[in-house]
Amino acid sequence: MGENGDTEIIEHHVDEEMEKKRILLRSHGSSFMESVTPSERDGHSSTQSSHRLLAYSDALISIIATVMILPVAHTKVQDNEELKESLQVLLTTKIAVYLMTFLIVTVAWAAHIRLFQVIERIDDCLALLNLACMMLITFLPYTFSLMATFPENILGILLFCACVMVLGFIQAVIVVYGFSRPFLLNDQIQVSENQVFYKHHILKVIMRVPIMCFFASIFSFIFFQMSYVILAIVIFLPYISQSLKWCRSKAIGQVEETPDSMMFYTYHPNEPLSKERVEAFSDGVFAIVATLLILDICEDNVPDPVMVQKQYGGSLVAALQNYGPEYLAYFGSFATVALLWFVHHSLFLHVTRTTRFMGLLNTFSLAFVGGLPLAYQLTHEFPRNSRNELEAIQISCVIIFFAGVFQLAIWVAALFSERETLHPYVRYGGREHAFMLAKLALYPCVALGTFFLTCILSKFSASIFHLMEITVPFAFLLLRLLVRGGLALLRLIFCPDGPETRSALEEEEEEEARMPFNTMIT
């Protein structure tokens, strides 16, 4: 009884103290908020965890960013038309719209990440304001479609600029509302004495894009081409701002900045982004692309019952044989999407911290992944051994190459600050470094090799291309053995005495590698 009784008495006193804090909070307002622990704040009836809201937002934005490929993929090219000429028309309209929409929507998504890295808890008001933001973000692709269809009509530009300005205003309201209730903010800002500075700094950064869109809307009445230039600057504004800051520091010397301004809402390429949300958004894009492939099968490759009865005597198997190339194209395309996701998953499994620049490279990779439904449509649309079929394969190789090479670029960018961004296994000199390089380089090399084969072999068909896509998984299974064999051979040739010695780097890597992945993620 002694020990259990003492425990009950302690717990009773703790409950009394927590109840006193709650009473003080109700009677005196937020001045006593700092006396309440984070666990009590999370249990407050008006606050909620933001995890589900952020997951919903990531899913919605990834869908909107990706489905804009549908108008491009479903554009029919006649057999008697040259694919190059048709592609030039697509590039000037629908493909340009898709790429611009994808980049603009992901810029809005990145801004959403940064906003909710500051505001970690939500209430009903913030949830409704976030839904208003989502409504405006999902409307942006429509404004871009108007801009592409009627490039010389300023209505599309005005609608887009109006959406962005209202979006910026809502985000500013979210910031002001969050800072008026400090228990909604992240713990680092809550304990800071510079909350007013934080609020002004974040508002200043948020309002830059709406202000630029305001000037773009004005220029649309004077010189509408300049409006498009300003909108393009919005996408790369963080890097333009950082370059101008670097030039200024070289011209007039380093301008000292307060520590607070370097923590939140900076334009530095190494500014952290939420790794979990980058993964969630990427998974959404991959899942949607894979789904779009099967939707095309369900829409176009189900025979009409009357035709099956008349032409094939009721034999469904005989009728489905005509769709053999489409099925092969589906399985090959799905294998490509799935393996690109597998490579992405393997990479981010060893990434401990993502940065703004890594996020930009990830966006470029996902933009090309979103183009895979176009590759699927083109490779089974033309007659066998035609010139258009060969060019469709080449276009597919280009899409796959850039989707893979930007994944490789993410890893290269992470290597420049590897101690902060990568697990020791895949750092330079780590035991998995060579294997990760081989895994990331496999798809770009396969795509590049296939492209050159189409230039040499005129009989290279879409069926051969899709069979190659299906066999790539076996290459991944053999990759580790090939890498180990290659490294063993190199050691045997250049370092015959190497196995007897252990470097300090290897010992340090093994010591750090004992730490679990999740404890290293910041």
Side-chain angles (χ1 to χ4, degrees), residues 48 88 98 137 165 181 204 252 268 311 346 356 406 516:
Q48 313 151 25
Q88 289 174 359
Y98 164 70
I137 291 174
M165 288 188 286
R181 291 159 175 77
K204 181 176 68 174
I252 62 176
H268 198 278
Q311 297 185 11
S346 301
R356 173 187 284 275
F406 278 116

Side-chain angles (χ1 to χ4, degrees), residues 129-146:
L129 287 172
N130 181 73
L131 291 177
C133 289
M134 292 300 104
M135 179 183 67
L136 291 168
I137 291 174
T138 55
F139 191 71
L140 291 179
Y142 177 71
T143 65
F144 266 105
S145 297
L146 290 178

Side-chain angles (χ1 to χ4, degrees), residues 325 328 379 384 389 393 460-469:
L328 185 62
T379 50
R384 293 192 60 183
E389 182 190 41
I393 297 172
F460 197 95
S461 66
S463 299
I464 297 174
F465 172 70
H466 293 306
L467 285 173
M468 289 179 63
E469 287 184 304

Side-chain angles (χ1 to χ4, degrees), residues 50-63:
S50 62
H51 293 307
R52 186 172 181 185
L53 177 133
L54 299 182
Y56 171 76
S57 302
D58 291 339
L60 194 61
I61 295 174
S62 63
I63 292 171

